[in-house]
Amino acid sequence: MSAATKTDTTIANTNVVTKYKAAADVTNSVLRKVISACKEDSKIIDLCKLGDAAIVDGLSTQYTKDKSISKGISYPTSVSVNNIVCHYAPSENDTTSQQTLKKGDIVRVQLGAHIDGYAAVSGGTVVIGASAEAPVTGKAADAIAAAHYAAEAIQRLIKPGNKNMAVTDKVQKIAGAFGCKPIENMLCHEQKQNDLDGQKQIILNPAPENRSTFATCEFAPYEVYLIDVFITSGEGRTKKSELRTNIYKKTGTSYQLKMKSARATFSDISKTFGTFPFTIRSCEDERQTRMGLIECTKMG
């Protein structure tokens, strides 16, 4: 009796490519919708809700016949403004929940969808009030242009035979040409089915102690990468903000949780979101989830 044939989960499989493309269609459509809604006086929380709801709605028309295929949000909508680099998705209970966008704000939107665990995550930057008649200028324009050209270069450099550190060096050079720097130690990951944080990584603007120890890898055929490019006109270093964390994901760390609330929360997260990031706001009982996450986050 022959062994069962293992399903190819790489993009060598045309069915996998189709799922990636379908997820990307939803993601890109929703991204355009959220960016279009980024206007002066728009509430950030409303924009996040708009994006998440639109992803769910867009996925409802995909793969409707096969009920066994999972579909969902692979990255909850985040709307990060000015000096907040990424991952900002406020909750109703946050003191900043009523924050609105102001003219001149530099806004980064990031979101994603998945079909059968094959995820498409995308992001974009918009400056509130900017137009063809009133274009972005100065340092903001330099940073946005640098990020654009860096992303274009990365797409061309990720091909079989090239190595990750070549990408690192090219992005550093492009950012420098605009008088900018990539955010220090930002990682881009290989991604696989149900996994946004694969083993192979690209590091941008590595700190000196990381550059010498960072694992060098060579790109191979049929790999997929999630590219995160964040450029700043500042020094490139980040610090923890005072804003409350609202986006979480499972790390894969094994630990026997002791508190009943933590075990219940972990079980709910695993069933509802799987391995993908999620926002507290999307949980049924936000207060209970926050309590359960205390032990989960302490233990990694």
Side-chain angles (χ1 to χ4, degrees):
M1 186 175 179
S2 61
T5 303
K6 186 178 180 180
T7 302
D8 183 359
T9 59
T10 74
I11 55 174
N13 183 338
T14 56
N15 289 329
V16 171
V17 174
T18 301
K19 290 171 183 176
Y20 268 126
K21 286 184 174 180
D25 286 342
V26 173
T27 294
N28 290 328
S29 175
V30 175
L31 180 64
R32 289 191 294 269
K33 184 174 186 177
V34 175
I35 287 180
S36 295
C38 288
K39 301 181 184 300
E40 193 171 355
D41 295 328
S42 296
K43 283 186 182 181
I44 292 177
I45 192 170
D46 290 343
L47 294 168
C48 292
K49 289 179 178 180
L50 172 68
D52 290 351
I55 291 172
V56 173
D57 183 60
L59 289 172
S60 67
T61 62
Q62 301 288 338
Y63 287 84
T64 56
K65 294 182 179 179
D66 190 344
K67 303 301 182 182
S68 66
I69 293 179
S70 63
K71 299 179 291 184
I73 295 172
S74 62
Y75 187 87
T77 306
S78 69
V79 178
S80 308
V81 181
N82 297 330
N83 63 316
I84 302 302
V85 178
C86 53
H87 309 324
Y88 183 55
S91 169
E92 296 282 5
N93 297 323
D94 290 347
T95 56
T96 56
S97 64
Q98 300 304 305
Q99 182 182 350
T100 59
L101 301 180
K102 302 291 185 282
K103 185 175 181 179
D105 280 345
I106 303 172
V107 181
R108 288 164 301 285
V109 178
Q110 190 173 4
L111 52 84
H114 80 86
I115 295 176
D116 198 20
Y118 299 104
V121 180
S122 189
T125 301
V126 61
V127 178
I128 305 302
S131 65
E133 295 73 29
V136 184
T137 59
K139 291 184 177 181
D142 291 338
I144 292 170
H148 169 77
Y149 288 114
E152 290 287 307
I154 292 173
Q155 290 182 64
R156 288 162 174 76
L157 287 170
I158 296 181
K159 58 183 181 182
N162 283 357
K163 294 186 177 180
N164 57 345
M165 297 311 290
V167 176
T168 302
D169 294 339
K170 179 61 72 174
V171 172
Q172 197 78 23
K173 185 176 180 179
I174 291 171
F178 287 89
C180 298
K181 291 183 178 180
I183 295 296
E184 190 175 75
N185 296 328
M186 182 64 69
L187 296 175
C188 305
H189 295 266
E190 178 190 8
Q191 69 173 60
K192 298 181 178 181
Q193 186 181 28
N194 294 311
D195 185 8
L196 294 180
D197 299 325
Q199 185 175 6
K200 289 186 178 181
Q201 301 174 337
I202 303 165
I203 189 169
L204 303 183
N205 190 17
E209 63 271 19
N210 290 335
R211 185 175 184 90
S212 59
T213 59
F214 195 78
T216 300
C217 66
E218 184 175 297
F219 305 124
Y222 307 123
E223 292 177 342
V224 176
Y225 284 83
L226 174 57
I227 303 303
D228 273 331
V229 180
F230 292 94
I231 303 291
T232 176
S233 59
E235 290 301 311
R237 298 184 182 90
T238 61
K239 62 180 180 180
K240 189 174 181 179
S241 78
E242 296 179 356
L243 299 173
R244 186 161 63 166
T245 299
N246 286 314
I247 294 179
Y248 295 85
K249 71 180 291 292
K250 291 165 60 178
T251 62
T253 301
S254 297
Y255 174 78
Q256 186 62 46
L257 296 167
K258 296 179 175 60
M259 294 177 61
K260 183 178 179 180
S261 61
R263 293 195 298 272
T265 295
F266 184 82
S267 176
D268 289 343
I269 289 169
S270 299
K271 291 176 183 176
T272 307
F273 308 108
T275 58
F276 291 108
F278 65 94
T279 177
I280 289 286
R281 183 171 31 79
S282 61
C283 298
E284 187 173 341
D285 188 331
E286 181 178 329
R287 182 174 175 275
Q288 187 66 33
T289 300
R290 284 198 185 277
M291 288 179 60
L293 282 173
I294 292 174
E295 185 183 2
C296 294
T297 53
K298 281 184 178 179
M299 298 304 138

